[in-house]
């Protein structure tokens, strides 16, 4: 019998199912099948593929409970949070069905260069072939199958390698593909460990990777050697800035949601807060009240728990280490502070104060139900500390002065900044989302979120009988004065350029 991976329910610690642990030969075979299926899938065109995506959307809605329960069982997040992933799947299927053709339509280019006068210039986008999607355990649907959807909409076939910790939702997606009649080989799932992910990178034509920065760098290195495109959505240490003029109730409510969503196991969760001194005490009091009111435990139905279990066993150690390191360095845990005793992997929601910037809880990705809060003198100090990080995924600013909020947003080193909000951007599928620095390369969503799964081709067409300006140039390119005059005519005088 071939090797299997046992999947555990982190809320109970019990094994719930097992999946095959595919080896490199089996992964290669899946890619070969996907490659054989790709031309016919691409030939269906946007309308033909869109019909399948609409069936997919309907399937998500018809089977919402079963999908949410599968996510909940293998990941430990509450049913309410699992349901957000299901809704994302339905919305994304409809979104890419509707928008893929416009994002990938031929583009007519106009050029002012006299050397191409009269020529037709066109840019077109073609599918790359087979896309390999490699995903993490924290969002078994959203950051796994969610990225398969635009890859398919663009005319590629896809092989998904889900995390070995949470493969069951992806296996369910393969079942969905069969039920909606997706042609064989258009979408398949390669369950397995990191080795299966590495094997996938060897054979596909493009990689969409979501996971840790450490693995992301390895994947990018191999894609570089193979000269295939790769898009990386990696870790984060998202800062929140609360200014003295903020609506503190809103800042506290939204920060609670963004820090505690999926028990903090979200790449874009708020991981550290900088509060202007005049409102520090009030904000800390509001957060303490909210942290104390959270119900920790397995969700037994909708609306029964706000803080689920930690999915990945080593996460308990990381979160514990960050809290213990902070307390040993002089920080105070105003709530929680440790592992909840009993069944499952639960950590008590922990609010930390009196922290300093060099503590592990302020520098490393914690990925747990904890939140350190630090007092700052002013907005300038908050921005400086927020940017003092290896990561640059997302950030949030709270202020009633919207102009100031937007000014600060532009000073922050993050791929996305929200003003008086958090996480909502993820559901604007028109808006690109991607990290700076160690948080990634490329983006998901928007135009770039589908063009990354294509090869771009530029076409220049010269009508029969046209003069070849490159040979019969009306001036000598080496004549600087003539060239300067030409550039001035085409692109303006340098005098008009403001520094
Ligand atoms: P991970 O890097 O350990 O694993 C991610 C995936 O890569 C898994 O499927 C794993 O099996 C596979 N893998 C491991 N080694 C591989 C290799 N050598 N080649 C190819 N694939 C390999 O990450 P994780 O612990 O599963 O996920 C948590 C991380 O993901 C966190 O850092 C989180 O911030 C990040 N994340 C980022 C985003 C985002 O959009 N930026 C979203 C969700 C999660």
């Amino acid at each position: 019998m071939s090797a299997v991976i046992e999947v555990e329910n982190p809320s109970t610690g019990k094994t719930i199912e097992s999946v095959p642990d595919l080896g490199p030969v089996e992964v290669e075979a899946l890619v070969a099948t996907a490659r054989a299926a790709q031309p016919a899938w691409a030939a269906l065109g946007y309308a033909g593929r869109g019909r399948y995506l609409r069936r997919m959307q309907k399937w998500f809605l018809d089977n919402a409970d079963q999908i949410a329960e599968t996510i909940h069982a293998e990941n430990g997040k509450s049913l309410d949070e699992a349901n957000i992933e299901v809704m994302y799947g339905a919305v994304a299927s409809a979104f890419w069905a509707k928008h893929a053709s416009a994002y990938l339509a031929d583009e007519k280019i106009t050029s002012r260069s006299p050397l191409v006068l009269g020529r037709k210039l066109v840019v077109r986008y073609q599918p790359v072939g087979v896309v390999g999607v490699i995903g993490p355990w924290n969002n078994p649907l959203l950051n796994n199958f969610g990225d398969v959807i635009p890859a398919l909409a663009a005319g590629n076939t896809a092989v998904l390698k889900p995390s070995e910790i949470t493969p069951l939702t992806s296996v369910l997606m393969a079942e969905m593909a069969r039920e909606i009649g997706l042609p064989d080989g258009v979408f398949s799932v390669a369950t397995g460990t990191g080795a299966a992910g590495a094997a996938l990178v060897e054979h596909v034509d493009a990689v969409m990777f979501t996971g840790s920065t450490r693995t992301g760098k390895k994947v990018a290195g191999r894609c570089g050697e193979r000269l295939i495109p790769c898009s990386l959505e990696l870790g984060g240490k998202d800062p929140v800035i609360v200014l003295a003029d903020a609506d503190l109730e809103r800042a506290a409510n939204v920060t609670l949601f963004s820090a505690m969503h999926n028990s903090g196991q979200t790449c874009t969760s708020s991981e550290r807060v900088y509060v202007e001194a005049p409102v520090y005490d009030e904000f800390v009091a509001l957060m303490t009240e909210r942290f104390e009111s959270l119900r920790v435990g397995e969700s037994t139905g909708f609306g029964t728990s706000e803080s689920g279990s930690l999915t990945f066993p080593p996460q308990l150690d990381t979160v514990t280490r960050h809290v213990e390191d902070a307390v040993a360095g002089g920080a105070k845990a105003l709530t929680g502070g440790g592992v909840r005793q009993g069944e499952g992997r639960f950590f008590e929601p922990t609010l930390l104060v009196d922290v300093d910037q060099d503590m592990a809880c302020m520098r490393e990705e914690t990925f747990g139900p904890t939140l350190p809060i630090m007092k700052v003198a002013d907005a300038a100090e908050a921005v400086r500390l927020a940017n003092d990080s290896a990561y640059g995924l997302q950030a949030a600013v709270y202020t009633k002065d919207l102009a100031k909020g937007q000014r600060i947003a532009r000073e922050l080193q993050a791929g996305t900044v929200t003003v008086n909000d958090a996480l909502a951007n993820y559901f604007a599928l028109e808006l690109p989302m991607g990290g700076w620095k160690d948080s990634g390369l490329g983006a998901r969503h928007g135009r770039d979120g589908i063009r990354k799964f294509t090869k771009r081709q530029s076409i220049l067409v010269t009508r029969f009988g046209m003069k070849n300006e490159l040979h019969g140039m009306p001036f000598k390119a080496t004549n600087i004065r003539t060239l300067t005059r030409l550039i001035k005519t085409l692109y303006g005088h340098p005098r008009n350029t403001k520094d």
Side-chain angles (χ1 to χ4, degrees):
M1 204 181 93
S2 59
V4 294
I5 296 171
E6 295 197 329
V7 184
E8 183 198 295
N9 178 335
S11 307
T12 62
K14 301 207 168 72
T15 300
I16 43 176
E17 239 174 274
S18 59
V19 296
D21 181 5
L22 298 190
V25 175
E26 290 151 304
V27 172
E28 185 178 359
L30 283 179
V31 177
T33 307
R35 194 173 296 295
Q38 195 269 331
W41 176 247
L44 285 179
Y46 294 107
R49 295 193 295 273
R51 278 194 286 280
Y52 283 103
L53 296 185
R54 289 296 191 172
R55 280 189 217 164
M56 204 178 270
Q57 171 209 330
K58 183 171 180 315
W59 192 93
F60 274 115
L61 298 172
D62 290 347
N63 296 278
D65 288 350
Q66 186 195 357
I67 312 168
E69 278 156 19
T70 306
I71 296 172
H72 164 64
E74 66 176 347
N75 165 282
K77 65 174 69 180
S78 72
L79 284 165
D80 310 68
E81 291 172 328
N83 207 36
I84 295 178
E85 292 203 53
V86 181
M87 292 305 116
Y88 177 87
V91 169
S93 313
F95 178 85
W96 293 112
K98 185 169 164 56
H99 293 288
S101 61
Y103 283 140
L104 300 181
D106 284 4
E107 288 176 308
K108 198 166 169 251
I109 305 291
T110 47
S111 169
R112 301 186 74 172
S113 168
L115 303 182
V116 296
L117 271 182
R119 266 67 169 183
K120 182 179 166 189
L121 307 174
V122 178
V123 171
R124 71 191 272 261
Y125 297 91
Q126 285 295 287
V128 286
V130 183
V131 174
V133 176
I134 302 174
W137 45 260
N138 62 329
N139 291 308
L141 195 158
L142 188 101
N143 296 136
N144 289 266
F145 191 73
D147 288 315
V148 169
I149 303 170
L152 296 184
N156 303 286
T157 51
V159 180
L160 168 61
K161 208 303 273 178
S163 166
E164 54 274 43
I165 308 295
T166 56
L168 301 181
T169 308
S170 297
V171 171
L172 184 60
M173 292 301 108
E175 213 172 296
M176 172 273 291
R178 278 189 295 277
E179 282 186 27
I180 67 164
L182 212 59
D184 279 352
V186 168
F187 166 65
S188 48
V189 177
T191 52
T193 61
L200 190 61
V201 173
E202 293 304 317
H203 301 290
V204 292
D205 303 306
V207 174
M208 169 71 227
F209 176 86
T210 306
S212 65
T213 300
R214 191 171 42 83
T215 313
K217 285 182 179 176
K218 280 192 217 162
V219 169
R222 189 57 197 133
C223 289
E225 282 165 3
R226 289 199 59 223
L227 276 185
I228 59 166
C230 92
S231 186
L232 304 168
E233 298 291 341
L234 309 176
K237 188 72 192 170
D238 296 358
V240 173
I241 296 177
V242 180
L243 298 182
D245 69 344
D247 174 342
L248 291 186
E249 287 276 339
R250 178 167 178 84
N253 288 337
V254 179
T255 302
L256 178 80
F257 177 69
S258 63
M260 301 304 291
H261 178 75
N262 196 12
S263 301
Q265 301 170 111
T266 303
C267 53
T268 49
S269 63
S270 299
E271 287 242 343
R272 52 198 169 114
V273 187
Y274 302 101
V275 188
E276 271 194 307
V279 293
Y280 175 81
D281 289 342
E282 194 183 342
F283 182 77
V284 168
L286 290 172
M287 290 305 289
T288 309
E289 220 175 81
R290 283 159 177 73
F291 263 60
E292 278 169 348
S293 71
L294 292 173
R295 289 168 299 170
V296 182
E298 188 186 4
S299 120
T300 48
F302 286 96
T304 56
S305 160
E306 286 90 33
S307 191
S309 56
L310 295 186
T311 314
F312 187 41
Q315 271 309 112
L316 266 191
D317 300 334
T318 307
V319 179
T320 304
R321 177 171 61 81
H322 285 194
V323 170
E324 285 179 357
D325 166 80
V327 172
K332 271 204 290 293
L334 296 183
T335 65
V339 173
R340 194 196 72 162
Q341 297 311 311
E343 197 179 58
R345 269 192 299 281
F346 293 89
F347 198 93
E348 299 163 339
T350 302
L351 198 62
L352 293 166
V353 292
D354 299 339
V355 290
D356 71 55
Q357 181 73 0
D358 288 322
M359 289 175 172
C361 69
M362 298 295 278
R363 293 225 168 259
E364 298 169 25
E365 188 179 47
T366 307
F367 233 51
T370 63
L371 188 65
I373 307 185
M374 192 168 159
K375 190 192 292 187
V376 292
D378 52 26
E381 186 185 9
V383 169
R384 182 176 60 74
L385 293 172
N387 287 340
D388 176 23
S389 171
Y391 294 106
L393 192 56
Q394 195 150 323
V397 186
Y398 292 87
T399 170
K400 287 190 189 131
D401 180 342
L402 299 187
K404 187 175 178 186
Q406 289 172 79
R407 222 170 32 244
I408 289 176
R410 285 163 194 271
E411 291 173 27
L412 288 168
Q413 296 163 5
T416 304
V417 185
T418 51
V419 178
N420 297 322
D421 222 321
L423 302 183
N425 57 288
Y426 205 87
F427 292 86
L429 272 76
E430 297 82 356
L431 191 65
M433 183 262 169
W436 292 6
K437 304 196 266 187
D438 274 1
S439 292
L441 270 183
R444 58 163 63 97
H445 296 164
R447 197 179 59 181
D448 297 349
I450 189 161
R451 287 192 177 170
K452 69 184 175 187
F453 297 128
T454 64
K455 296 179 283 209
R456 193 178 48 215
Q457 184 177 51
S458 296
I459 301 176
L460 179 150
V461 181
T462 299
R463 283 194 311 277
F464 181 71
M466 281 190 85
K467 199 165 81 183
N468 184 349
E469 279 84 357
L470 278 180
H471 289 163
M473 278 201 289
F475 58 87
K476 261 194 149 75
T478 48
N479 181 330
I480 289 298
R481 285 181 59 195
T482 317
L483 198 54
T484 308
R485 209 173 315 127
L486 178 70
I487 291 170
K488 264 194 263 174
T489 315
L490 294 174
Y491 308 113
H493 194 282
R495 253 199 323 265
N496 301 330
T497 312
K498 290 205 176 84
D499 283 333

